[in-house]
Amino acid sequence: MVSNDFSSDIPNKMSTKIVIAGGFGAGKTTLVGSVSEIPAVTTEAVMTEASVGHDDTSATPQKVTTTVAMDFGRITVDQQLILYMFGTPGQTRFWFMWDDLVRGAVGAVVVVDCRRLADSFEAVDYFETNRRIPYIVALNRFDGQLEYSVEQIREALEIGADVPILDFDARDRSSGGTVLKSLLRYALSTNAAAAPVG
């Protein structure tokens, strides 16, 4: 559980948790590392022969490590809010950890590699099925371009019209920051709309 008590000299300091999810090699670890104000904690392990037949590296031949548990980073949004980022492992065989990682999160970013849309189906489906967690989709621009339009991707991944889709570069701090701010705005509006009026 994330504590809301970080500093006695700033009495209203609050924290919140978000999840960075997506398929194998989509850019989750890169996003956490590019925006974190502390050195990101990663659980990267060298890929071995055991991954052959399970992990498709044809679109990412330079990828030699993979997340086996989670990534962790922190960013101070303003004087009152600290954002904690938890990156999920991408391979299906590690998804048993997802339920624990998303517990208590206010929202999630699903990072998508547009060159391999099929690798994103399960991550999108997880949050579509688990509607208590608002999510947005972030299209990672590999090689500086997108293969499809936003609407083509929305249709291919069967994403509802209310879910924001942005394109970004996971390596760029400013671009990643824009994604996180968009998630926070969307989560706030979604939670406000769901709150009972009484």
Side-chain angles (χ1 to χ4, degrees):
M1 183 151 119
V2 179
S3 170
N4 290 332
D5 182 18
F6 285 92
S7 175
S8 58
D9 58 328
I10 305 174
N12 295 323
K13 195 74 150 180
M14 299 290 288
S15 67
T16 194
K17 172 184 178 181
I18 65 164
V19 171
I20 311 296
F24 170 73
K28 302 176 298 295
T29 300
T30 303
L31 172 58
V32 172
S34 71
V35 298
S36 180
E37 65 195 17
I38 62 171
V41 177
T42 65
T43 56
E44 292 286 291
V46 175
M47 294 174 64
T48 66
E49 290 182 9
S51 69
V52 175
H54 296 286
D55 302 326
D56 179 10
T57 59
S58 58
T60 55
Q62 71 285 1
K63 186 169 179 61
V64 294
T65 63
T66 187
T67 302
V68 295
M70 69 172 192
D71 301 315
F72 175 79
R74 182 188 79 198
I75 185 168
T76 301
V77 176
D78 58 31
Q79 287 295 315
Q80 282 78 40
L81 180 62
I82 293 177
L83 185 65
Y84 289 101
M85 299 169 286
F86 290 80
T88 65
Q91 298 97 321
T92 308
R93 64 184 178 276
F94 296 126
W95 279 25
F96 65 90
M97 293 181 268
W98 279 42
D99 287 340
D100 288 331
L101 287 174
V102 302
R103 187 173 292 118
V106 298
V109 175
V110 177
V111 180
V112 172
D113 178 352
C114 294
R115 303 168 303 177
R116 300 176 292 131
L117 287 179
D119 291 354
S120 304
F121 291 159
E122 291 175 312
V124 169
D125 187 56
Y126 179 89
F127 291 102
E128 278 290 317
T129 304
N130 193 354
R131 295 298 290 177
R132 63 185 168 81
I133 302 171
Y135 78 99
I136 67 171
V137 173
L139 311 175
N140 194 4
R141 283 195 300 260
F142 283 88
D143 303 320
Q145 59 187 6
L146 295 175
E147 300 293 325
Y148 306 98
S149 72
V150 168
E151 287 313 310
Q152 286 173 318
I153 291 168
R154 184 181 299 280
E155 183 177 346
L157 296 178
E158 299 181 353
I159 298 168
D162 60 315
V163 176
I165 301 178
L166 301 89
D167 67 287
F168 83 117
D169 184 337
R171 301 164 297 181
D172 183 74
R173 180 179 175 85
S174 176
S175 186
T178 298
V179 167
L180 299 182
K181 289 176 191 172
S182 298
L183 172 63
L184 288 176
R185 282 193 295 270
Y186 180 64
L188 283 171
S189 66
T190 301
N191 290 331
V197 178

